[in-house]
């Protein structure tokens, strides 16, 4: 085992680990928690402002930040020392977190699991929609698929484990829940979450800058729309304009 694999350092609540010879992981805890996420995103903002030599990318997760670096420019121990110097530095953010009001159609024709979810939770479909759309959420990070935002925190009344049998093919735009999270599938893919609706926006476009509609730290609320409104937005999206003009879905 190399010295890189053995290294571990804890300062306050931050635990530093080496991830091979091109990465450093900074852990803040061991659970899905809004406070931990804010600590992760705060450190990400600090390091983005610090522009440490050799750092190539900063990848947040629920509870940790992966700092990827160029091994020809720096090394893990130097990167950790630099992070420690900067981690308690107050940082002025250039922009406030964006707040999105995302159109979501909960019609059963687009939500094959919404009735089953309602039955399992002893609620009506209307109660499921009201609960899900009344909550303000935060984007923890992007993962699983390009542009796929892990969005928390789902009301505890809607908490369910993942489906016991995943689907081989989930349609693009499917709005799904599991545990205390929501996601929108940005691409057609396999999936094991409960499908309770569909969002007609485009959540990932490799030609756009940035390519993902949502970003870690964004605030999200889902706005119920009818099936006809979903069809109209889908038609507009087919022109290629809906992603580029998505700013209009930011809440006023």
């Amino acid at each position: 085992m190399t010295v890189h694999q053995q290294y571990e350092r804890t300062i306050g609540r931050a635990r530093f680990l080496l991830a091979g010879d091109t990465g450093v992981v900074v852990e803040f805890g061991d659970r899905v928690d809004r406070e931990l996420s804010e600590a992760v995103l705060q450190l990400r903002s600090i390091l983005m402002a610090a522009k440490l030599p050799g750092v190539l990318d900063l990848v947040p997760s629920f509870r940790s930040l992966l700092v990827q670096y160029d091994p020809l420019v720096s090394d893990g121990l130097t990167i950790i020392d630099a992070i420690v110097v900067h981690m308690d530095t107050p940082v002025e953010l250039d922009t406030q977190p964006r707040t999105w009001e995302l159109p979501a159609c909960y019609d059963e024709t687009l939500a094959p699991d919404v009735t089953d979810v309602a039955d399992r939770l002893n609620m009506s479909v209307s109660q499921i929609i009201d609960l899900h759309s009344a909550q303000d959420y935060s984007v923890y990070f992007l993962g699983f698929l390009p542009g796929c935002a892990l969005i928390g925190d789902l009301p505890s009344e809607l908490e369910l484990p993942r489906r016991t049998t995943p689907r081989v093919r989930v349609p693009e735009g499917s709005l799904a829940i599991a545990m205390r999270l929501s996601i929108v599938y940005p691409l057609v893919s396999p999936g094991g979450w409960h499908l309770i609706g569909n969002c007609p926006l485009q959540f990932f476009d490799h030609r756009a800058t940035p390519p993902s509609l949502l970003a870690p730290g964004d605030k999200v609320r889902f706005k119920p729309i009818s099936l006809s409104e979903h069809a109209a937005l889908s038609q507009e999206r087919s022109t290629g304009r809906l992603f580029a003009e998505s700013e209009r879905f930011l809440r006023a």
Side-chain angles (χ1 to χ4, degrees):
M1 183 174 288
T2 69
V3 65
H4 288 285
Q5 291 169 313
Q6 295 173 331
Y7 185 87
E8 177 180 332
R9 179 179 178 186
T10 300
I11 298 178
R13 61 175 178 170
R15 179 170 174 250
F16 296 84
L17 301 165
L18 293 173
D21 58 1
T22 61
V24 168
V25 174
V26 188
E27 292 183 343
F28 287 94
D30 58 0
R31 63 190 185 280
V32 178
D33 178 274
R34 184 74 62 88
E35 181 184 358
L36 295 185
S37 175
E38 289 174 353
V40 170
L41 298 179
Q42 176 72 4
L43 179 60
R44 178 173 175 260
S45 296
I46 290 171
L47 298 183
M48 289 174 67
K51 302 183 186 304
L52 301 182
V55 170
L56 301 175
D57 200 3
L58 301 164
V59 184
S61 74
F62 284 120
R63 61 187 182 89
S64 64
L65 182 70
L66 171 64
V67 181
Q68 294 183 310
Y69 61 89
D70 183 346
L72 298 179
V73 176
S74 190
D75 62 78
L77 300 185
T78 300
I79 293 291
I80 289 174
D81 287 341
I83 294 172
V84 171
V85 169
H86 287 86
M87 65 186 305
D88 292 325
T89 302
V91 59
E92 289 282 339
L93 299 179
D94 293 335
T95 58
Q96 293 297 315
R98 300 176 301 175
T99 299
W100 296 91
E101 190 169 66
L102 300 177
C105 180
Y106 296 89
D107 191 278
E108 293 179 30
T109 58
L110 299 173
D113 294 331
V114 71
T115 301
D116 179 62
V117 168
D119 290 343
R120 293 179 61 177
L121 297 174
N122 295 316
M123 296 183 190
S124 66
V125 170
S126 294
Q127 287 175 305
I128 298 295
I129 297 171
D130 289 345
L131 269 173
H132 189 262
S133 60
Q135 184 83 359
D136 287 319
Y137 299 96
S138 291
V139 174
Y140 279 114
F141 67 98
L142 305 182
F144 176 52
L145 294 169
C148 184
L150 281 291
I151 303 168
D153 297 297
L154 199 66
S156 59
E157 298 96 320
L158 298 179
E159 184 174 357
L160 284 172
R162 297 180 187 181
R163 287 168 50 86
T164 54
T165 306
R167 289 183 169 86
V168 174
R169 187 181 188 280
V170 173
E172 178 183 348
S174 291
L175 169 59
I177 60 173
M179 297 141 327
R180 296 292 303 280
L181 300 168
S182 295
I183 61 171
V184 178
Y185 287 88
L187 306 166
V188 175
S189 74
W193 293 36
H194 306 275
L195 309 184
I196 65 166
N198 190 281
C199 295
L201 303 186
Q202 187 170 5
F203 285 83
F204 181 79
D205 183 349
H206 71 278
R207 300 162 299 183
T209 303
S212 296
L213 185 65
L214 302 179
D218 282 359
K219 306 301 179 186
V220 171
R221 178 179 283 245
F222 294 98
K223 178 185 178 182
I225 61 173
S226 67
L227 191 59
S228 60
E229 289 172 312
H230 183 279
L233 289 172
S234 297
Q235 176 62 31
E236 187 175 347
R237 179 189 157 175
S238 68
T239 66
R241 294 171 45 223
L242 205 50
F243 187 97
E245 297 179 3
S246 56
E247 289 81 1
R248 63 190 163 102
F249 294 103
L250 288 169
R251 198 184 315 171

